[in-house]
Amino acid sequence: MSLGTKVRLARLFSHPSGNLFGGAVDHFVGYGDVRKGGLADLPGALARVMAGKPDYVSIQPGAARHLWPQYAGKASLVIQAGCFTADDRISELIATPEDAVRAGADALAVAIPVRGATEGKYIRWLTDSVNAAARYGMPVVAHIYPRDFTDGAKIVFTPEEIAYAARIGYETGVDVIKIGYTGDFESFKETVRTCPVPVVIAGGPRTESLLGALQQTADALRAGARGAVVGRNLWGHGDPAKAAHAFRSVIHDGLSAADAIAKAGA
């Protein structure tokens, strides 16, 4: 690992807790009517997420160009390169490590789906991105989502598929792996234990309550995860700033889900 990669990773995990709290506003395609939901006002959603003081924010390169300058220095910037829908209607790699360098980012995120007839192409996305990023000392954060095609195409979080996703991540050489929490403590603990790079959990799918989202985050941390990167459970919440403060309390202060909600007034 190059000095540049080590320095950038240290900035991502710079909090004294050793954990990472990330905000994701990189949901580019496949979300229906863009006039509805928590990302209908993307500048406003980013402002609300930033009010919660995340350690980093992942965002698409074009959106970062327009929206990030006012937040420079307030959190690490992670450029999202992956752009796909679960059914492969859209399947594009839209940024390179060089793009991330030009943006002043601390990492390149590459979101991919796995399983299905096209997964080889996505694994190549990761491998090529890791090899290219090494030339710039740019860490790669893999966001890996297993799919099931039994009834259409959907993202799944079963223990065996999440273990597979983690294996894809470290065998392609990425620096951080973002995967969904299985809901099963022992299986997730074993997946994290056998993974040689830091694992953080995805904050979605959106839970019925903030308490549920915080509880699964707390469980994942007890299982060995190094944090969470949260999207819908932040900007989809009625008060994203309060939700963000609650996640910070669980991730960085070790509070229980209930205590974090009470502290944040959420």
Side-chain angles (χ1 to χ4, degrees), residues 144 162-173 177 179 191 194-195:
I144 307 178
I162 291 301
Y164 179 72
R167 177 65 65 89
I168 291 292
Y170 73 75
E171 289 206 16
T172 54
I177 298 170
I179 48 178
T191 293
T194 56
C195 184

Side-chain angles (χ1 to χ4, degrees), residues 140-263:
V140 174
V141 182
H143 300 190
I144 307 178
Y145 302 95
R147 297 177 290 183
D148 180 87
F149 294 90
T150 304
D151 181 20
K154 61 182 179 180
I155 305 299
V156 294
F157 300 92
T158 60
E160 60 272 21
E161 292 300 336
I162 291 301
Y164 179 72
R167 177 65 65 89
I168 291 292
Y170 73 75
E171 289 206 16
T172 54
V174 305
D175 301 286
V176 181
I177 298 170
K178 173 188 168 185
I179 48 178
Y181 181 57
T182 61
D184 179 79
F185 178 82
E186 292 299 333
S187 70
F188 194 78
K189 181 179 179 180
E190 182 63 12
T191 293
V192 174
R193 184 189 71 80
T194 56
C195 184
V197 300
V199 170
V200 299
I201 67 163
R206 187 178 178 187
T207 56
E208 292 184 0
S209 68
L210 179 60
L211 179 64
L214 293 169
Q215 187 60 59
Q216 72 176 13
T217 300
D219 290 345
L221 291 169
R222 286 195 304 113
R226 293 282 303 280
V229 181
V230 190
R232 277 162 286 189
N233 286 312
L234 279 185
W235 42 257
H237 186 267
D239 191 326
K242 288 183 178 180
H245 283 298
F247 275 103
R248 279 183 60 84
S249 294
V250 169
I251 294 168
H252 288 323
D253 301 329
L255 266 62
S256 69
D259 287 346
I261 286 178
K263 180 181 178 182

Side-chain angles (χ1 to χ4, degrees), residues 8-9 11-14 19-26 46 49-50 52-59 68 74-80 105-110 140-143 176-178 200-202 226-230 234 248 252:
R8 291 182 174 95
L9 281 174
R11 288 200 286 258
L12 297 184
F13 291 92
S14 62
N19 293 333
L20 178 155
F21 166 43
V25 291
D26 56 4
L46 178 57
V49 169
M50 287 300 296
K53 299 181 180 179
D55 302 314
Y56 89 53
V57 170
S58 58
I59 191 169
W68 191 253
K74 297 179 180 178
S76 288
L77 171 64
V78 177
I79 294 295
Q80 176 61 262
D106 283 323
L108 179 77
V110 183
V140 174
V141 182
H143 300 190
V176 181
I177 298 170
K178 173 188 168 185
V200 299
I201 67 163
R226 293 282 303 280
V229 181
V230 190
L234 279 185
R248 279 183 60 84
H252 288 323

